[in-house]
Amino acid sequence: MTAATHTPHTTPTAGRVIPRRRMEPNRRISLTAGILYVLTFVSIPTLGLSKPVKDHVGTFILGAGSDTGVLWGAASEVIVGIAGIGTAVVLYPIAKRVSQTAALGFVTARLLETCLIFVGVISLLTIITLRTDVAGTAGANSAALVTTGHGLVAVYTWTFLLSQSLMPVACDLLLGYVLYRSGLVPRILPIVAFVGAPLLLASDIAVFFGAYPNVSPVAALAALPVAAFELSLGLWLIVKGFEPTPLTSTNAPSTPFPDGLPVA
């Protein structure tokens, strides 16, 4: 065998064959999940980017201002939706060892969240289509366009409440349960989720019944603990990964632990 011929996962160096180091599977899962969690925060500028549409949809749909920011905002929400599904799918092989129900619930909640996000994105993109393809044509009814624009903004506002505000309550409670029971991360992180999720739910109910808008200082304050949990979790998984537990050992079972069995 010559020096140029080597088995997979090896690298020839100065006539020697040095095995390549492969990332441990659980570390790969934690790193990927952490990156995806951090990626979901690209939606933060969306509130500002979509402001011209939400605040002045009448003038916007008739041609005032630029639609570039709105397009970037819509694209960022698509990224958030895909990354959100990714967090649940990537963590599923680990989460199902703790609770099959919680793991499936987390995936389902993320899928529903993303579907609702996409409905909101479609409403924004429809406004842009009406602005570019209809508003400037001969015989276009400006009043009807403005009314349609207000209706589409209402769709976006309500889907934003249900998707990016309500669904994280379910997601964080389900994942928090898995993390707390398993000890995969410091337990202070899921405790923050247990505190933040009910607070955000109470705020969502208040918004639903018109106590204050879903984009307001009170709503932002109520969402802060949940945001802190998800960002801290993402950063922890990137930097540290999972804590050593029986769940992450090479001999860990692939089926859920029986009820009552201490996981960590």
Side-chain angles (χ1 to χ4, degrees):
M1 180 182 292
T2 64
T5 304
H6 54 277
T7 59
H9 312 303
T10 61
T11 303
T13 304
R16 295 178 299 147
V17 177
I18 302 177
R20 294 179 183 174
R21 295 185 61 184
R22 297 186 62 185
M23 184 178 292
E24 194 268 333
N26 288 327
R27 182 65 184 112
R28 185 166 58 248
I29 290 174
S30 64
L31 179 61
T32 304
I35 292 172
L36 290 170
Y37 256 111
V38 172
L39 191 59
T40 61
F41 282 82
V42 302
S43 67
I44 291 177
T46 302
L47 298 176
L49 292 172
S50 61
K51 190 175 178 63
V53 176
K54 293 185 294 183
D55 293 353
H56 309 286
V57 64
T59 56
F60 179 85
I61 203 169
L62 295 178
S66 171
D67 58 10
T68 302
V70 181
L71 287 170
W72 278 108
S76 71
E77 292 199 60
V78 171
I79 294 172
V80 169
I82 295 173
I85 292 175
T87 60
V89 172
V90 170
L91 289 173
Y92 179 78
I94 296 291
K96 72 176 182 178
R97 299 176 189 173
V98 182
S99 170
Q100 187 86 36
T101 301
L104 285 173
F106 184 41
V107 173
T108 303
R110 281 300 201 191
L111 284 170
L112 180 56
E113 178 184 3
T114 298
C115 289
L116 291 170
I117 288 174
F118 282 7
V119 170
V121 169
I122 290 169
S123 68
L124 288 181
L125 296 179
T126 302
I127 291 174
I128 293 177
T129 299
L130 292 175
R131 164 192 166 100
T132 56
D133 296 350
V134 179
T137 61
N141 188 323
S142 298
L145 285 172
V146 171
T147 301
T148 303
H150 282 288
L152 291 169
V153 167
V155 171
Y156 176 82
T157 300
W158 285 112
T159 54
F160 183 91
L161 174 66
L162 296 176
S163 62
Q164 299 191 59
S165 193
L166 179 61
M167 292 313 301
V169 173
C171 292
D172 289 359
L173 286 176
L174 290 167
L175 182 59
Y177 166 77
V178 169
L179 296 177
Y180 186 85
R181 183 164 182 250
S182 64
L184 288 168
V185 298
R187 284 200 165 100
I188 185 61
L189 294 181
I191 288 174
V192 172
F194 294 150
V195 172
L199 181 62
L200 182 57
L201 177 60
S203 177
D204 290 339
I205 293 173
V207 171
F208 185 86
F209 286 102
Y212 47 81
N214 64 348
V215 181
S216 65
V218 178
L221 187 62
L224 191 58
V226 163
F229 161 68
E230 295 190 356
L231 180 60
S232 299
L233 176 62
L235 294 175
W236 181 272
L237 292 178
I238 291 173
V239 177
K240 294 288 189 177
F242 297 130
E243 297 283 354
T245 70
L247 196 65
T248 57
S249 69
T250 55
N251 296 321
S254 59
T255 56
F257 283 90
D259 290 339
L261 180 65
V263 180

